[in-house]
């Protein structure tokens, strides 16, 4: 029996202790937002937060999460309004989308530790996550934008930096 | 050359799928050859391609009085409903294309919305299953928007005309005094919404095929949707975990399976199976041999378990002795040796001529200098991030196959052979694809799942691990190409011969897509040679397409993003540089001279209007953006190179120029790509932001293949099976990029692939400029450059 907290709720699952957390989340608990890409901790598609840290779950035995707090993409925010999710929509980041849960969970952990990152810091933090569609330009841009959104909402409660989905996105002709 | 679209139509008309299997019972007739029906069913307006009422009545001799609604309701004419308007005004557009990162539903819905004058916020999309009424289902070749442009635009326009007529009646005005905007019919200060028209008046209108063709589409100046900013419909579900991919499908009572792959793709057999260690694994159930009448799974086993994790571990614990197929001993070097033989003496036994203009032999003989070079590319993996998988079950004699797929019609034909059931008893249900890139054009991965479900009499979800996926990937075939071109005394190109040898995807998977050669000889896979028929004026020109059969013995040569142009552009664009160098000319200006847009290179309206002129234009723009003239004063070991592409096919050209600036590290031979400039002319952009995303991604794919990917087949499989050994580009390897689309209202063309092909030759040309070394083998490895320095 494995027990931990998933997106704020306690869960218990009857699985053998060496089962990777990824498969427990996906197959036993129905949280399919977390993906399987390489199975050897090298692509980042399976990234969730375990006790607040971005963690690859494809090689992590569920026993390692015993009693811990697990947050998946489904539990990142209440209304899909985490600054990263806002920025991801604003900059239209996903292509096939398969890597994006992992990208967002990786970035969320990074921004929580580095609220005002430089370009280089973003690149370094995100280079472990493969995007086969190569949406890297936008992933980078959106991490920076999310940092801005977070900072603005901290600096003011007057609605500064609130994402308005009806707002036009940026110019698509011209420089990237 | 025949447009591929015509080829596809011909395949459909023959009533066969791309493997030559009969699909006539499907009744699928592409949507281009029928009239358009607008009628009302269950309160909603339906817009369908199909036989119009009168014609339908005549064709089956029924007493149908010919109203569109009755034809739609009768169902027996299999009307293909492309979109519907509900009484609340919601416009539902049916999408037959696979959503794999290109936001195709958004682009196609935009085509409809533009002419329908729909309110974008009222648009919904539905990805349809493999019902044969949709015609031949394939998503590839960067075709979707280009092929759908006229039919879907006309369908939208026909709907608008019908809505205006019905709306005018409700408003009691003359239709001529009405216009449609944002889902409303407006006359002066009166208006009525589409939803109101549908619920109050209903719609009843048919357009014959001729009437449909005569509808004139809006001039570009009137466009309110195409070419404008806007977001993609599939993005929100991809940032909160809600998007469902094939891998996410679950079905009641399903078992999990992992394939156990034999040592070779063809001709292997299990000799003994020992699952005693597997039995120690919790949840392991059994190992089954897959008996496949279709021949796709030769000697495969499947491990069945209660969870995927158990299936994975049990497979690793399984001990199988195999009798190996003969191809086990064929290496990539053997395949390439065969390729060299083929290009050194091309013949009609292994393919044929793809281009034959003028007298190349005497042109080369009379030349004052002949440049003769050979270029190679090695095997490339798709590595789409979601490994292939399928979930299959049978219910009441009907087989349901759940997965992401790019060529449903082909997959259904294969499944029918494997399961030995009629195609009408098989439905493929579509999901988001965790990357396609051509891998999922071949539905081989659905077969073992279906066979396992059949053997067990229970739903089965079969998932390949990453190494499983790689082992039997339909890799991009390694290629060898030889180009020989002659220059006269003034540095003018007088003749050029190009021979390319590779495995042919269409020969392996879809023989009906092979085309006739320009003269005698065997059929040709245009996908494996396209790009060699470039837009430069090189005098007499001959192009040989050669099929490397040795490749086919080892693997199924795949369609991989761009397919043939991925290697032909590599060769052509380096060769042009080599000619410029020999002629003592600047390589960009040399290209401008060759792009004279005369004769066959003048282009044809509407698809390739402007011809080589447009390639000149993107090149000139890229030169200005990248400050090409600074090329002569760059620091040591820094170089600039250029390459061009016209995308996938001469009949659907996407014009792209790319300039790379590189810095060479002499110590280890590594290449820093400092900057990429690209200018593309893809005609009208249905969805400009999606277009830019495709350009960004495809260029980086090109960079990734140029420097970081590539593997070799060896002992029946690719050497690199997973990350670590296979190293696609990461964020820290992304160069600065400066990208631009030319403003154009020409017919939209494709964008998913063209960017992939130009980067590698632009880098190779830049390396040559920086340090005088020409690398003719892709990927360009640091060791090779270091050795040459
Ligand atoms: S699936 Fe876990 S890192 Fe790739
Ligand atoms: S969006 Fe497709 S892998 Fe990242």
């Amino acid at each position: 029996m494995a027990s931990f907290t998933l997106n704020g709720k306690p869960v218990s699952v009857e699985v053998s202790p060496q089962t990777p957390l990824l498969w427990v989340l996906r197959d036993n608990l129905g949280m399919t937002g977390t993906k399987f890409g390489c199975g050897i901790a090298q692509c980042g598609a399976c990234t969730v937060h375990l006790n607040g840290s971005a963690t690859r779950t494809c090689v992590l035995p569920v026993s390692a999460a015993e009693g811990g707090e697990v947050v998946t993409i489904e539990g990142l925010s209440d209304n899909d309004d985490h600054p990263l999710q806002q920025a991801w929509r604003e900059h239209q980041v996903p292509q096939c989308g398969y890597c994006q849960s992992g990208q967002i969970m990786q970035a969320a952990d990074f921004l929580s530790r580095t609220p005002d990152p430089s370009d280089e810091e973003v690149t370094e933090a995100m280079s472990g996550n493969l995007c086969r569609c190569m949406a890297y330009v936008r992933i980078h841009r959106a991490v920076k934008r999310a940092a801005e959104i977070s900072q603005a909402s901290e600096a003011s409660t007057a609605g500064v930096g609130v994402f308005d989905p009806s707002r036009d996105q940026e110019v698509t002709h011209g420089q990237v | 050359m025949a447009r591929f679209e015509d080829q596809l139509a011909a395949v459909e008309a023959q009533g066969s799928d791309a493997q030559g299997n009969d699909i006539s019972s499907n009744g699928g007739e592409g949507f281009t050859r029928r009239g358009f029906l607008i009628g009302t069913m269950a309160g909603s307006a339906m817009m369908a391609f199909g036989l119009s009422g009168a014609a339908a009545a005549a064709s089956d001799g029924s007493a149908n009085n010919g109203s569109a609604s009755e034809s739609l309701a009768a169902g027996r004419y299999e009307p293909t409903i492309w979109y519907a308007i509900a009484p609340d005004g919601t416009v539902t557009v049916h999408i037959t294309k696979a959503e794999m990162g290109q936001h195709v539903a958004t682009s196609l819905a935009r085509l409809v919305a533009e002419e329908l004058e729909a309110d974008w916020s009222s648009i919904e999309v539905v990805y349809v299953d493999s019902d044969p009424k949709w015609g031949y289902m394939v998503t590839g070749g960067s075709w979707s928007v280009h092929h759908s442009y006229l039919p879907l635009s006309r369908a939208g326009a026909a709907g608008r005309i019908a809505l205006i007529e019905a709306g005018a009646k409700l408003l009691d005005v003359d239709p001529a005094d009405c216009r449609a905007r944002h889902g409303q019919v407006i006359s002066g200060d009166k208006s009525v919404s589409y939803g109101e028209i549908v619920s109050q008046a209903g719609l009843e209108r048919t357009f014959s095929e001729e009437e449909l063709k005569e509808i004139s589409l809006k001039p570009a100046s009137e466009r309110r949707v195409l070419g404008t900013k806007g977001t993609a419909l599939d993005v929100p579900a991809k940032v909160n975990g809600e998007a469902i991919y094939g891998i996410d499908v679950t079905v009641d009572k399903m078992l999990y399976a992992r394939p156990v792959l034999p040592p070779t793709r063809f001709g292997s057999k299990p000799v003994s199976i020992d699952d005693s260690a597997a039995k120690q694994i919790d949840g392991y159930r059994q190992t089954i041999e897959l008996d496949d009448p279709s021949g796709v799974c030769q000697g495969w086993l499947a491990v069945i378990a209660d969870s995927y994790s158990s299936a994975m571990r049990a497979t690793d614990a399984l001990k199988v002795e195999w009798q190996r197929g003969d191809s086990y001993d064929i290496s990539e070097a053997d395949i390439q040796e065969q390729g060299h033989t083929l290009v050194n003496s091309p013949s009609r036994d292994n393919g044929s001529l793809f281009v034959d203009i003028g007298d190349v032999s005497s042109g080369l003989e009379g030349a004052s200098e002949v440049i003769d070079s050979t270029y190679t590319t090695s095997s490339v993996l798709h590595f789409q991030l979601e490994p292939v998988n399928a979930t299959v079950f049978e219910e009441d004699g009907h087989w349901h196959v759940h997965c992401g797929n790019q060529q449903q019609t082909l997959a259904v034909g294969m499944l029918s052979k494997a399961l030995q059931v009629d195609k009408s008893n098989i439905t493929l249900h579509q999901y988001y694809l965790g990357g396609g890139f051509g891998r999922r054009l071949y539905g081989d991965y659905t077969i073992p799942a279906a066979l396992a479900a059949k053997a067990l009499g229970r739903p089965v979800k079969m998932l390949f691990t990453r190494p499983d996926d790689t082992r039997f990937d339909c890799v991009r075939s390694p290629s060898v190409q030889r180009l020989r071109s002659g220059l006269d005394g003034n540095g003018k190109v007088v003749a050029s011969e190009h021979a390319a040898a590779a495995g042919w995807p269409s020969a392996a998977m879809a023989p009906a897509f092979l085309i006739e050669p320009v003269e005698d000889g065997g059929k040709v896979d245009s996908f494996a040679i396209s790009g060699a028929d470039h837009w430069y004026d090189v005098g007499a020109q001959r192009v040989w397409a050669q099929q490397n059969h040795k490749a086919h013995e080892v693997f199924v040569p795949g369609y991989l993003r761009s397919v043939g142009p991925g290697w032909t552009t590599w060769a052509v664009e380096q060769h042009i540089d080599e000619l410029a160098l020999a002629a003592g000319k600047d390589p960009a200006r040399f290209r401008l001279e060759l792009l004279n847009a005369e004769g066959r290179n003048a282009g044809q309206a509407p698809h390739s209007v402007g011809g080589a002129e447009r390639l000149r234009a993107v090149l000139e723009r890229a030169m200005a953006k990248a400050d090409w003239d600074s090329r002569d004063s760059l620091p040591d070991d820094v170089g600039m190179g250029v390459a061009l592409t016209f995308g996938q096919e001469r009949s659907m050209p996407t014009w792209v120029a790319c300039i790379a600036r590189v810095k060479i590290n002499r110590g280890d031979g590594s290449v820093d790509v400092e900057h990429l400039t690209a200018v593309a002319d893809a005609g009208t952009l249905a969805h400009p932001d999606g277009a830019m995303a495709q350009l960004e991604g495809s260029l980086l794919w090109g960079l990734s293949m140029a420097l970081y990917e590539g593997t070799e087949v060896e002992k029946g499989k690719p050497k690199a099976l997973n990350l670590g050994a296979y190293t696609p580009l990461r964020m820290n390897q992304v160069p600065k990029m400066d990208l631009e689309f030319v403003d154009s209202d020409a017919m939209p063309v494709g964008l998913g692939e063209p960017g992939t092909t130009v980067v590698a030759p632009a880098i190779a040309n830049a390396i040559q400029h920086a340090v005088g070394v020409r690398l003719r083998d892709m990927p360009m490895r640091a060791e090779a450059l270091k050795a040459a320095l």
Side-chain angles (χ1 to χ4, degrees), chain B residues 249-514:
Chain B
V249 173
T250 52
V251 176
D252 250 8
K253 298 206 177 67
M254 74 182 188
L255 295 172
Y256 292 84
R258 179 182 169 193
V260 186
L261 302 177
T264 57
R265 181 95 190 200
F266 308 108
S268 286
K269 268 203 278 239
V271 179
S272 72
I273 303 164
D274 170 7
D275 69 348
S276 48
K279 281 187 175 134
Q280 305 308 307
I281 303 217
D282 248 12
Y284 169 75
R285 285 184 170 239
Q286 65 186 120
T287 299
I288 57 174
E289 290 190 44
L290 300 177
D291 172 25
D292 181 5
S294 76
V296 168
C297 301
Q298 302 185 13
W300 294 35
L301 312 173
V303 163
I304 311 296
D306 292 334
S307 75
Y308 189 62
S309 149
S310 303
M312 273 202 291
R313 272 178 293 142
T315 306
D316 291 336
L318 200 68
K319 293 192 189 70
V320 187
E321 253 182 71
W322 305 91
Q323 179 190 316
R324 296 197 295 244
D326 297 339
S327 61
Y328 189 78
D329 298 319
I330 301 176
S331 68
E332 178 125 342
D334 298 327
I335 296 170
Q336 293 298 64
E337 195 184 304
Q338 176 68 16
H340 283 281
T341 307
L342 288 168
V343 300
N344 288 333
S345 49
S347 78
R348 289 183 163 80
D349 300 333
N350 296 292
S352 197
L353 284 171
F354 183 61
V355 176
D356 191 18
I357 299 166
D359 185 348
V360 171
S361 305
S362 47
L364 289 175
E365 266 160 38
S368 57
E369 189 178 0
V370 172
I371 305 297
D372 182 344
S373 312
T374 299
Y375 309 86
T376 73
T377 63
S378 61
S379 294
V380 179
L381 303 178
H382 287 92
F383 216 98
Q384 77 294 341
L385 197 51
E386 177 197 8
V388 291
N389 61 80
T391 301
V392 183
F393 64 93
E394 182 254 351
E395 197 175 57
D396 302 330
H398 197 94
W399 288 86
H400 296 272
V401 180
H402 295 255
C403 64
N405 186 270
Q406 294 179 248
Q407 194 169 194
Q408 294 92 320
T409 309
L410 183 63
V412 167
M414 292 165 69
L415 283 159
S416 151
K417 277 190 196 158
L419 291 169
Q420 306 268 284
V421 300
D422 193 78
K423 286 183 287 288
S424 60
N425 293 325
I426 301 169
T427 301
L428 240 77
H429 301 269
Q430 183 71 298
Y431 293 82
Y432 284 128
L433 280 61
F437 313 119
R439 174 61 185 93
R440 289 183 237 262
L441 283 166
Y442 195 47
D444 56 344
Y445 53 91
T446 62
I447 308 279
L451 292 172
K454 186 174 185 179
L456 298 166
R458 275 187 67 171
V460 168
K461 174 176 188 165
M462 179 178 280
L463 171 60
F464 289 53
T465 63
R466 173 57 53 189
D468 295 342
D469 177 293
T470 303
R471 272 180 65 172
F472 285 177
D473 186 14
C474 311
V475 298
R476 181 170 96 177
S477 170
S479 71
V480 180
Q481 297 173 84
R482 183 175 177 199
L483 276 87
R484 290 189 305 148
S485 301
L487 293 165
D488 69 11
N490 301 319
K492 181 174 154 40
V493 192
V494 292
S496 183
E497 176 161 48
H498 183 166
W504 286 3
S506 303
M509 301 177 212
F513 288 162
L514 297 174

Side-chain angles (χ1 to χ4, degrees), chain B residues 225-255:
Chain B
V225 182
L226 303 184
T228 67
K229 296 166 192 171
T231 55
L233 298 166
D234 56 321
V235 161
K238 290 176 175 177
V239 304
N240 63 10
E242 274 175 16
I244 303 293
Y245 299 78
I247 194 175
D248 302 328
V249 173
T250 52
V251 176
D252 250 8
K253 298 206 177 67
M254 74 182 188
L255 295 172

Side-chain angles (χ1 to χ4, degrees), chain A residues 35 80 92 96 132 136 169 174, chain B residues 230 232 245 248 709 729 739:
Chain A
K35 301 303 191 204
D80 303 342
Q92 295 282 291
C96 84
R132 183 43 159 164
Y136 296 122
Q169 357 161 188
Chain B
Y245 299 78
D248 302 328
E709 295 189 40
L729 183 97
L739 315 182

Side-chain angles (χ1 to χ4, degrees), chain A residues 94-100 103 130-135, chain B residues 385 435:
Chain A
Q95 290 191 26
C96 84
Y98 194 76
C99 71
Q100 298 297 347
Q103 304 276 2
L130 175 68
C131 176
R132 183 43 159 164
C133 299
M134 311 255 163
Chain B
L385 197 51

Side-chain angles (χ1 to χ4, degrees), chain B residues 438-662:
Chain B
R439 174 61 185 93
R440 289 183 237 262
L441 283 166
Y442 195 47
D444 56 344
Y445 53 91
T446 62
I447 308 279
L451 292 172
K454 186 174 185 179
L456 298 166
R458 275 187 67 171
V460 168
K461 174 176 188 165
M462 179 178 280
L463 171 60
F464 289 53
T465 63
R466 173 57 53 189
D468 295 342
D469 177 293
T470 303
R471 272 180 65 172
F472 285 177
D473 186 14
C474 311
V475 298
R476 181 170 96 177
S477 170
S479 71
V480 180
Q481 297 173 84
R482 183 175 177 199
L483 276 87
R484 290 189 305 148
S485 301
L487 293 165
D488 69 11
N490 301 319
K492 181 174 154 40
V493 192
V494 292
S496 183
E497 176 161 48
H498 183 166
W504 286 3
S506 303
M509 301 177 212
F513 288 162
L514 297 174
I515 60 163
E516 294 298 335
V518 289
E519 44 190 72
D520 310 340
K523 289 191 172 188
V524 170
D525 187 356
S526 61
F527 293 93
I529 190 64
S530 192
D533 52 345
H534 53 69
W535 295 76
Y536 297 115
D537 181 353
V538 290
Q541 188 185 0
R542 190 156 62 199
V543 176
W544 289 95
Q546 298 286 288
Q547 182 180 7
N548 189 332
H549 291 278
K550 226 174 200 42
H552 290 250
E553 290 177 43
V554 186
F555 55 87
V556 177
Y559 299 103
L560 182 140
R561 201 172 190 177
S562 259
V563 203
W567 57 82
T568 56
T569 310
W570 167 245
V572 168
E573 288 297 318
Q574 285 211 61
H575 191 67
I576 295 288
D577 249 54
E578 293 188 55
L579 291 169
L581 223 62
K585 296 185 183 171
D586 172 276
R589 295 191 169 84
F590 184 70
R591 282 174 168 81
L592 291 173
E593 282 170 28
L594 298 180
L595 295 170
N596 57 23
E598 286 167 10
R600 70 195 286 264
N601 296 326
Q604 271 181 356
H607 305 89
S608 58
V609 65
E613 233 7 284
R614 288 169 74 190
L615 205 43
R616 281 181 67 101
V618 292
L619 173 54
E620 281 169 348
R621 179 72 189 129
M623 288 167 71
K625 279 174 84 78
D627 191 11
W628 182 257
D629 291 331
S630 71
R631 188 173 181 267
D632 297 330
S633 49
L634 295 174
D636 284 354
D637 302 333
V638 174
M640 265 166 111
V642 64
L644 309 180
T645 178
F646 61 94
Q648 301 315 111
E649 304 166 36
R650 264 186 88 91
S651 56
M652 188 188 73
T654 301
W655 314 100
V656 186
C658 175
I659 293 175
R661 197 179 70 205
V662 305

